[in-house]
Amino acid sequence: MEIIVRKLSHSFGEKQIFENFELRLREGGIYGLTAPSGRGKTTLLRILMGLQKPDSGTIPQGVRYSAVFQTDHLLPGRTTVDQLLFVRGSRRDRDAAARFLSGLLPEDSLYQSVGELSGGMQRRVAIARALWADSECLLMDEPFTGLDEETLRLTADFIFAHRQGRTLLLSTHQKELLSGYPFAWLTL
Amino acid sequence: MKPAKSTSPLGRLLIALFWLGVWQAASMLAAKPVLFASPLDTVKALWALLPTGGYWLSVLGSLGRISLGFFLGLLQGLLLGIAAFRFAWLKALVSPLLTMMKTVPVASFIILILVWFGSGPLAVIVALLIVLPQIYFSTLSGLDSTDPGLLEMSAVFRVSALRRAWWIYRPALMPYLTGACASALGMSWKAGIAAEVIGTPLRSIGEQMYLAKVYMATAELFAWTLTVILLSSLFEKLVLRLLKEVGK
C-alpha cells in the first residue's frame, strides 16, 4: 500500500512546522529521514501513526504500522521475550520469539526483565519488537540512539534482514553511518 | 539521618517482654483487678474459651460476615472503579456518593442499618461500606497512573483490549489495590466488630464482647480482643498473598 500525505499543515503554538507538506512512500520503499532537531521528524511519524491530529491535510487511513518510538515504551518488569509476545503471538511462540531476538541480543538477556538491561539493549528490544509485529509499514524514530557504531551496523543489518519487503521510514541524525544501506533520503 | 537498623530477634523478644511487663504492672496497680485483667488472666480466659463450641461459632460467625462484606466491597469497588474510569459521566455521578460514604461516621451507618435490616446482616454491610469507597478510589488512581506511552504503543500495534487490560492496566493497578486492601482489611474488622458490639447479633464476637462488658469480665474482653487481632492479621496475610498471585 502506497502512503500518500497531502497538504499537511501543522503548527505548535506560533511555530509552523509543516505547511502544505507532501510525502509519497511507495510500497516496499526504504526511506531515511533527516532534519535538524525540532523540525518535526517525531511529529510527522506520530501524525502518520494517528497519535497526533494534524491541523489540516490528508493522511492515509487504515495502514498497519509497527514502530520504534522516541522512547522505548517497553512493558516494565517483563522479560525481553514477553515484549515481543505482547504485540504478536502467545506463550506457544516463546521459542520462536527467543530465536528471533537472539540475532540481535545476547542469549542470557532474553528471559531477563527488561529493567535489568542496558539502555542500548532496551533500544534493540524495541527495534526487534517492531520487526516482529504484523505490519505493512515500519516507522522508526531515531532507532540507533545510544548504540555504538558496531552495534548500529549489527542492528541495521538485522532491520534489513527482517524487513520482509515492508515499507521502512527511519529517522536519524547519523546519516553518514548508514551510507552502506539502500536508503532514499528525505529531508524536512 | 540514617534509618534505624531493624531489631534483632532477641531485641524483639525483649521488647515484647518489656510491654508484657508494663501490662502486668498496670493490672497489679489497678484499684480493682477485675477492671484490668493481667496478661496471665487473659491467656487463662482464652484457654477456657477455646474448647467451647460457642467460641468457635462466634469466631466463624464474625469471620464469615466480615470477610463476606470485605469481598463484596472489594468486588464492587473494583468493578465500579473500572467502569468509572471508562465512563466519565459515571465517575461524575458516583464519586460524590462514595466521598460521602468515606466521610460519614461509621456509627451513623451502623444505626441506620440496624433500623433498616436488623442485626443479622449488619457486619456484612458495614464491612462492605468501609471497603467499597477505599477500593473504588484507589482503583481509579491506579488506572490513572497507567503510562500513556505504553497505551500509545499498544494502540499503534493494535493490541487487543483484553491483552492491554492484562499487561498494561493490571500492573499499574495492583500496587494501588494492594495498598488499599491492606488498610481496608484492618478497618473492616474494626468497624465490623464495633457494629456487632452495638447490634449484638447472635453468635458473633461483638455479642460476646458486649456480654463481657455486662459481666465486667475484662479477662474475657481481652481474650476476645486477642482473637480479633489474630483473625484480622491472618485474614490480611491470606488476602495479600492472594493479591500477590493475581499481580504476578
Side-chain angles (χ1 to χ4, degrees):
Chain A
M1 176 175 195
E2 211 177 16
I3 293 170
I4 302 168
V5 174
R6 284 223 168 89
K7 296 198 164 166
L8 175 73
S9 294
H10 194 70
S11 52
F12 271 133
E14 298 281 282
K15 199 176 160 200
Q16 182 92 22
I17 340 177
F18 296 110
E19 199 176 354
N20 289 325
F21 175 80
E22 305 267 331
L23 178 73
R24 189 184 202 108
L25 305 177
R26 67 177 172 75
E27 187 170 344
I30 298 167
Y31 300 93
L33 181 65
T34 59
S37 57
R39 272 291 170 75
K41 291 191 296 264
T42 296
T43 309
L44 177 63
L45 297 182
R46 287 178 58 84
I47 287 174
L48 283 173
M49 290 181 233
L51 296 176
Q52 218 161 309
K53 246 183 111 63
D55 295 343
S56 64
T58 51
I59 46 167
Q61 301 295 317
V63 182
R64 202 159 170 176
Y65 293 107
S66 61
V68 175
F69 301 83
Q70 199 171 29
T71 46
D72 298 326
H73 296 328
L74 301 175
L75 301 173
R78 294 282 151 192
T79 66
T80 306
V81 165
D82 282 343
Q83 309 298 326
L84 265 58
L85 299 183
F86 178 66
V87 297
R88 176 167 74 83
S90 63
R91 218 158 253 209
R92 270 170 302 161
D93 303 303
R94 267 171 65 148
D95 294 340
R99 241 177 290 127
F100 186 82
L101 281 160
S102 61
L104 191 58
L105 286 145
E107 294 283 340
D108 59 1
S109 68
L110 303 186
Y111 291 100
Q112 259 183 311
S113 165
V114 284
E116 295 164 24
L117 306 183
S118 70
M121 281 161 89
Q122 294 186 9
R123 197 67 186 149
R124 278 177 277 162
V125 177
I127 292 167
R129 177 178 64 188
L131 291 160
W132 166 265
D134 279 327
S135 60
E136 303 161 74
C137 176
L138 299 156
L139 300 177
M140 299 193 177
D141 193 354
E142 300 269 5
F144 305 122
T145 31
L147 304 186
D148 59 57
E149 259 189 69
E150 195 194 325
T151 321
L152 183 149
R153 292 226 166 72
L154 178 86
T155 308
D157 288 343
F158 187 82
I159 292 173
F160 279 90
H162 295 282
R163 187 177 66 88
Q164 293 181 310
R166 290 175 279 187
T167 313
L168 169 65
L169 177 60
L170 180 151
S171 78
T172 182
H173 59 269
Q174 293 159 297
K175 184 179 170 179
E176 62 292 344
L177 293 177
L178 295 167
S179 56
Y181 299 92
F183 283 103
W185 290 100
L186 311 167
T187 310
L188 288 183
Chain B
M1 198 169 79
K2 268 198 247 170
K5 268 193 247 163
S6 62
T7 329
S8 66
L10 179 69
R12 267 178 283 171
L13 183 71
L14 289 174
I15 289 168
L17 284 175
F18 169 78
W19 287 110
L20 280 172
V22 170
W23 179 3
Q24 179 73 38
S27 70
M28 284 158 78
L29 290 172
K32 291 180 186 153
V34 71
L35 293 182
F36 199 155
S38 71
L40 198 63
D41 295 335
T42 304
V43 172
K44 270 195 210 151
L46 186 62
W47 197 249
L49 282 170
L50 282 177
T52 63
Y55 175 84
W56 293 104
L57 283 177
S58 300
V59 164
L60 279 180
S62 291
L63 177 66
R65 279 183 285 249
I66 292 170
S67 52
L68 179 65
F70 175 83
F71 283 116
L72 287 177
L74 173 61
L75 191 70
Q76 291 180 20
L78 190 62
L79 292 178
L80 197 60
I82 293 170
F85 175 75
R86 180 75 184 71
F87 304 107
W89 61 266
L90 186 70
K91 182 174 160 184
L93 184 71
V94 300
S95 287
L97 180 72
L98 286 143
T99 307
M100 190 210 75
M101 280 167 69
K102 255 173 70 170
T103 40
V104 166
V106 187
S108 311
F109 279 130
I110 295 175
I111 291 164
L112 204 59
I113 294 159
L114 272 175
V115 172
W116 286 348
F117 306 106
S119 65
L122 177 66
V124 180
I125 302 175
V126 166
L128 184 152
L129 290 175
I130 292 286
V131 174
L132 198 155
Q134 285 206 50
I135 300 295
Y136 168 83
F137 285 111
S138 61
T139 300
L140 273 180
S141 320
L143 293 174
D144 276 333
S145 77
T146 307
D147 178 357
L150 290 180
L151 294 175
E152 285 189 349
M153 181 272 288
S154 62
V156 168
F157 284 108
R158 301 195 191 174
V159 174
S160 73
L162 202 67
R163 215 173 247 220
R164 224 179 281 190
W166 188 255
W167 294 69
I168 298 181
Y169 284 112
R170 182 186 53 105
L173 172 64
M174 286 319 286
Y176 286 79
L177 197 62
T178 309
C181 276
S183 82
L185 274 163
M187 281 174 64
S188 65
W189 271 93
K190 284 182 196 163
I193 297 293
E196 286 181 349
V197 171
I198 297 173
T200 59
L202 273 180
R203 308 213 200 306
S204 69
I205 295 177
E207 182 201 25
Q208 299 299 323
M209 284 181 153
Y210 179 78
L211 292 175
K213 178 223 153 200
V214 172
Y215 300 120
M216 290 210 289
T218 53
E220 248 116 85
L221 175 66
F222 287 4
W224 282 110
T225 306
L226 205 59
T227 306
V228 171
I229 293 171
L230 288 174
L231 281 175
S232 97
S233 63
L234 269 176
F235 187 59
E236 183 176 325
K237 284 223 166 70
L238 196 80
V239 172
L240 292 182
R241 166 167 276 178
L242 209 72
L243 283 173
K244 212 172 157 189
E245 285 301 313
V246 179
K248 263 185 191 167

